[in-house]
Amino acid sequence: MVDRVTYTSEFPIFYVTVDIAIFTVRDDELCVLLVRRKGEPFRGALALPGGFVAPEEGLMDAARRELGEETGVTDVVLEQLATYGEPGRDPRGRVVSVAHVAVLPRQVEPRAGSDASEALWVPVVPLLAGRRQVAFDHRRILADALERVRAKLEYTTLATAFVAEEFTLSELRHVYEVVWGADFDAGNFQRKMRRTEDFIVETGRTKPSPVGRGRPAATFVARSPGVHPLGSPITRAQPQRG
Amino acid sequence: MVDRVTYTSEFPIFYVTVDIAIFTVRDDELCVLLVRRKGEPFRGALALPGGFVAPEEGLMDAARRELGEETGVTDVVLEQLATYGEPGRDPRGRVVSVAHVAVLPRQVEPRAGSDASEALWVPVVPLLAGRRQVAFDHRRILADALERVRAKLEYTTLATAFVAEEFTLSELRHVYEVVWGADFDAGNFQRKMRRTEDFIVETGRTKPSPVGRGRPAATFVARSPGVHPLGSPITRAQPQRG
DNA sequence: AAAATAGTGTCTATAAGACACTATCAT
DNA sequence: ATGATAGTGTCTTATAGACACTATTTT
């Protein structure tokens, strides 16, 4: 790292950080990983995990590093969300933050990092509806991130990033139901998924229901790793007059 | 502006810039406004207009200012696209660029700014398909911007940003045809637009065809200023087996 | 057998594309 | 009248949602 340099320019000093909104489905709720801040400003408030970008580090590399430091997770779907750089958004100076969205396939027990006294999974919708303090403009970032995840579920294969590598259609349907807060007809969902091209591939194996009873479900894997656009969107459940 | 400061930190120096991909439909082609660089690096190459963010200036404010300086346009649809910050993307140092997309309602004659020897409208698709040199990673940014515009046309009211405040459905259809490079059935397009909620409002006035012959077209205005999501998407023309 | 979950069949409403047709203008 | 563009009618095909039904498992 650079230790002390002389900065000669007519341009101001910028600090560049990354913040990450890490989502997972946990206990029938969409949750985001937040840390409780140890230092000032916003000491004790909830914040998105994140940190400063290193000198020779790419933006997504920085996000991936911070994510690893906070959760120990490495193989994860990560995407740039937007950049927040209003003057005054950070009292320490002109900080431009490149926000990212990450989706975890299963619940991971977070461990606190060096900048946080605590790391915890927080249900997103109640947090955004409530009045709990959130550091900086992270409430706004989180709202944007939620909107992005909900939108991407519709026209990409993002849903598979929430479940294990091998999954049942009930598990996948549960992701949509939790993220969108709407129920799906199980039969129609089944048909839609099986008919959508380039999304899922049946393994030939089955998996018993978690409640112990009922017909075991066929398992599937994502057709290809990562997130890809879908030919036809997965529509949100809308009541039909018929 | 800061003239000379001493920068004491374990964090590196970052420069933050904005770049703007300004699109318009001109002569039956989707065009982007590019400048020819006066100075090094990439002297003489084509580049997106853009520049450094001022000390107390928001990111979109900076983009709007640069856009005004380059084209004289003020009232314009502007949206953040993505941020590009790979180390080495700019030989002058660690430059993080926040790219924006702008859409102009009509062809504007660009005037060269202080950083550019020339400003010109360039057809986008041939540029991306060809081998003309483009400065920095601006070819990549431009490709991302084109993808964004094509996508937004489908599920937002962005198309109205390409036409004058009062427009005919033929003019609007032409935007879709040029941006997507596909023809639409004029009748079906008419029905689709009139039935889509919260998109357009008929003025009651008519406008004669530009070729002088034919029935004058009814004119419309956008239902509300700015870009808004649509309830039902405008689908790209796809051949149907029937 | 009963209960629970997985998966299929089928009907209806809606909407997109194809294309024939009507409407209104200039020459 | 002719040709051009604007706009409507209507047929076909595809698909989403509703919901009844079958299939496969455990208790």
Side-chain angles (χ1 to χ4, degrees), chain A residues 16 22 38 59 74 77 79 87 89 122 131 146 156 158 206:
Chain A
V16 177
I22 311 161
K38 273 203 301 203
L59 299 175
T74 53
V77 170
E79 174 185 296
R89 64 175 289 279
V122 179
R131 293 164 179 268
L146 174 60
T156 73
L158 180 64
T206 61

Side-chain angles (χ1 to χ4, degrees), chain A residues 118-146:
Chain A
E118 194 185 355
L120 62 165
W121 290 110
V122 179
V124 178
V125 174
L127 177 73
L128 288 175
R131 293 164 179 268
R132 292 173 74 175
Q133 192 193 17
V134 180
F136 308 104
D137 51 359
H138 287 190
R139 179 182 288 270
R140 160 81 189 287
I141 297 177
L142 191 49
D144 291 348
L146 174 60

